[in-house]
Amino acid sequence: MKNEQGIIGLFIDGNYFFTEQTVEHRNVYHQTLLGHLSQADATHLNLAVEAASNAQKQWAMLPAYRRSELLFALAEELQRNTEEAAMLIVAETAKPITLARAEIMRAVTTYRLSAEEATRLQGETLVMDAVRGGEGKSAFTVLEPVGVIAAITPFNFPFNLVAHKIGPALAAGNAVIIKPSSQTPCCALWIAEAAKRVGIQDGVINVIIGSGGIIGDALVTHKGIQMISFTGSFDVGLHIRSIAGLRKTLLELGSNSAVILDQSTDINLIAPKLASGACAFSGQVCISIQRIAVHESQHDQLCSLLKTIFSGWIVGTDPAESNTSMSKMINSSALIKAKNAVQQAKNAGATVICGDDYHEMSMWPTVLTDCPSHLDIVQQEMFAPIVVIQKYRDIQEAIDWVNDSRYGLNTGFYSNNLKHVWHAIRTIKSGALLINEIPTYRADHMPYGGVKDSGTGKEGVAYAVREMCHEKLIVIQP
Ligand code: NAD
């Protein structure tokens, strides 16, 4: 992916293109130079769209079993090279190595699930004589690929979220142009190269690199693109939706995920899980626990448990070391945003239970309580190792607090009280409700997507395949 001058290329039609204009690309933890990133312009974009458009026509003509075999082969290739791929994640994001390996395992699963879905592109049969005028007619639907998909991905899961675009897109017979985060281009290039190695034809997967504001806009508005699949922040998602026109647009956006613990919860048992749900990978996970509602009788116990657990975490160390709990945050603006939000909370009277410590680009797990509801730390997505604890008296108060959010992706609800559980199922506004599980849980075949400002449409392989197809109706009058 890198030439002799250390320039990291764009991957178009199975070949690397190295541009004159470049941007430095550094290891997040060590700040050492990883290379100079090529920057795509309109000419590269046109080449990529043309290559994808030509390749897609042949790819869609392959029998389903062959697309499936190739996706299985890609999964195997990734699994064989787990360590190399995981180390790329470590270098580009400072994700601790144990989490990076776990991400690769998930990406392997995502490609395998996609390989299976490639053989299940089934439409449905309609009962035409259910209505007057339908007598004698037959009808059924077929799923057709949309064509060329622009897949725009964030930095935080640079293998698995790319897999959630490539896998379903290819399963359905589409070609893709990936625009990865500028923080994580090498992870996307690695998988594009691996796809070529296992025999996926050139042009089916292309990777362009460049600033979201420049090449991202040009990609989203390009006439040769039939669908945009975006995972990232709300502001960028909204902007993409506003310029995408009538094209299909799948938006997987952010959240300030919450969990409610009712009085029947064994706080001792679940506290370690709450801690990792809130602060693993420095809270840079879209379904990180940012808010915990706990019954007032258990509030102090929970605060002291979390304080004890976090005091045992190893923070700010090299992500390549297997005992690192949290390393550095992705960049200085992420750290400054988090620090300012904590300061705003303290100014408003919040109590810091632990954390609010910083060194270089690392932030220690920060637990706050007594936070007024209007604060950014409660209302906005922090994407940082920050968790707010809110005490409540009755369960409705907790549900109202959780629902008082612009976001709704995953919500957790702990209870052994069936009445409470059922009430939560009926009233919590969220893409998914996880009973006796933290909101940070995601399995890659689950339907996944939010309500409100958390996005529109669903990923989770089988669901993404549907999103990436047109369902064509066939009516036959014999
Ligand atoms: P981001 O929104 O800053 O960037 C995401 C991608 O959009 C990057 O590739 C970026 O280059 C690109 N981009 C930026 N401006 C663009 C433009 N004008 N046109 C087209 N593309 C543009 O997000 P990030 O900081 O990389 O990731 C964090 C965000 O992603 C958080 O909000 C998080 O919640 C969200 N996220 C959501 C999910 C989910 O499945 N719902 C998963 C992971 C992350």
Side-chain angles (χ1 to χ4, degrees):
M1 63 183 73
K2 201 157 54 165
N3 70 8
E4 282 166 6
Q5 288 78 48
I7 299 175
I8 296 165
L10 317 171
F11 193 76
I12 300 171
D13 207 10
N15 297 304
Y16 275 110
F17 286 71
F18 302 96
T19 65
E20 268 176 32
Q21 200 202 336
T22 59
V23 168
E24 279 188 354
H25 185 43
R26 291 190 176 273
N27 177 301
V28 172
Y29 181 77
H30 296 289
Q31 282 302 301
T32 46
L33 197 62
L34 294 171
H36 298 270
L37 293 177
S38 291
Q39 299 292 291
D41 60 21
T43 315
H44 303 112
L45 185 56
N46 288 337
L47 279 176
V49 173
E50 197 187 334
S53 178
N54 291 334
Q56 189 270 328
K57 293 181 185 75
Q58 295 167 43
W59 177 252
M61 295 299 284
L62 281 185
Y65 76 83
R66 187 65 195 132
R67 290 202 304 274
S68 177
E69 283 170 357
L70 287 165
L71 283 164
F72 272 124
L74 184 56
E76 296 312 309
E77 179 69 2
L78 180 55
Q79 187 167 34
R80 256 195 306 279
N81 294 286
T82 297
E83 206 52 28
E84 183 186 330
M87 284 309 289
L88 266 184
I89 300 179
V90 170
E92 292 197 306
T93 68
K95 182 176 282 190
I97 183 68
T98 45
L99 299 180
R101 289 191 190 113
E103 180 181 341
I104 298 299
M105 296 283 287
R106 283 185 58 191
V108 168
T109 302
T110 303
Y111 286 115
R112 286 202 181 121
L113 291 166
S114 302
E116 289 168 9
E117 285 309 317
T119 62
R120 293 182 192 138
L121 293 171
Q122 289 145 358
E124 59 181 354
T125 306
L126 280 86
V127 180
M128 288 305 286
D129 62 2
V131 297
R132 272 191 195 86
E135 297 90 332
K137 290 184 167 59
S138 303
F140 60 93
T141 64
V142 290
L143 297 180
E144 294 188 337
V146 293
V148 178
I149 298 176
I152 303 174
T153 53
F155 77 85
N156 63 335
F157 284 86
F159 267 91
N160 197 33
L161 291 179
V162 167
H164 272 284
K165 310 289 182 204
I166 290 180
L170 269 59
N174 298 290
V176 282
I177 298 177
I178 310 277
K179 203 224 72 64
S181 161
S182 301
Q183 308 272 359
T184 56
C186 296
C187 294
L189 290 169
W190 192 96
I191 203 74
E193 266 188 44
K196 185 179 169 92
R197 279 199 299 279
V198 302
I200 291 176
Q201 77 189 69
D202 290 348
V204 172
I205 301 172
N206 307 277
V207 181
I208 60 162
I209 307 168
S211 132
I214 300 168
I215 202 65
D217 275 16
L219 176 63
V220 169
T221 52
H222 198 289
K223 286 199 178 69
I225 299 291
Q226 280 80 45
M227 175 178 175
I228 298 113
S229 175
F230 172 77
T231 303
S233 59
F234 169 81
D235 289 346
V236 177
L238 184 63
H239 170 71
I240 286 174
R241 167 58 60 82
S242 73
I243 61 172
L246 285 181
R247 277 169 292 192
K248 273 193 154 188
T249 309
L250 175 69
L251 300 175
E252 299 286 339
L253 310 179
S255 186
N256 57 352
S257 294
V259 56
I260 297 174
L261 317 175
D262 90 351
Q263 249 177 303
S264 64
T265 310
D266 183 342
I267 303 273
N268 279 302
L269 188 73
I270 67 157
K273 208 167 175 179
L274 294 173
S276 57
C279 294
F281 191 31
S282 302
Q284 299 170 124
V285 178
C286 53
I287 39 178
S288 268
I289 302 171
Q290 189 176 317
R291 302 179 293 149
I292 303 177
V294 61
H295 190 263
E296 58 181 0
S297 61
Q298 294 175 308
H299 171 270
D300 294 353
Q301 185 195 357
L302 179 65
C303 291
S304 95
L305 278 168
L306 288 179
K307 186 173 177 176
T308 308
I309 291 166
F310 285 133
S311 69
W313 278 33
I314 298 170
V315 180
T317 43
D318 189 340
E321 286 167 19
S322 53
N323 62 355
T324 294
S325 314
M326 273 169 44
S327 185
K328 291 185 178 173
M329 292 185 68
I330 192 70
N331 54 38
S332 55
S333 50
L335 184 80
I336 291 165
K337 179 183 162 199
K339 213 169 169 178
N340 288 346
V342 173
Q343 189 57 51
Q344 183 204 38
K346 288 197 294 185
N347 294 346
T351 308
V352 177
I353 303 295
C354 64
D356 192 21
D357 289 326
Y358 314 85
H359 178 64
E360 294 179 345
M361 293 287 297
S362 298
M363 174 174 185
W364 268 249
T366 300
V367 181
L368 295 119
T369 188
D370 306 320
C371 296
S373 290
H374 70 273
L375 292 178
D376 284 353
I377 221 160
V378 182
Q379 294 293 336
Q380 307 303 329
E381 178 181 46
M382 285 294 115
F383 225 56
I386 299 175
V387 58
V388 168
I389 300 185
Q390 174 75 20
K391 55 183 142 185
Y392 67 85
R393 285 213 177 99
D394 71 80
I395 202 72
Q396 187 58 48
E397 194 186 327
I399 291 175
D400 290 344
W401 182 73
V402 165
N403 279 340
D404 178 21
S405 167
R406 50 186 288 218
Y407 294 112
L409 191 48
N410 278 10
T411 304
F413 191 87
Y414 278 83
S415 175
N416 292 322
N417 177 331
L418 193 56
K419 277 194 178 150
H420 282 177
V421 169
W422 193 241
H423 186 55
I425 290 171
R426 290 166 65 137
T427 54
I428 287 179
K429 309 273 181 261
S430 185
L433 178 64
L434 295 101
I435 308 294
N436 294 329
E437 184 51 272
I438 55 172
T440 325
Y441 176 78
R442 179 184 181 187
D444 294 286
H445 66 309
M446 286 175 12
Y448 183 74
V451 296
K452 303 192 266 183
D453 285 354
S454 290
T456 55
K458 293 278 182 210
E459 287 198 335
V461 177
Y463 305 88
V465 167
R466 291 253 155 198
E467 300 269 4
M468 292 172 167
C469 287
H470 290 303
E471 191 165 17
K472 185 195 271 179
L473 174 68
I474 313 296
V475 179
I476 299 180
Q477 174 66 60

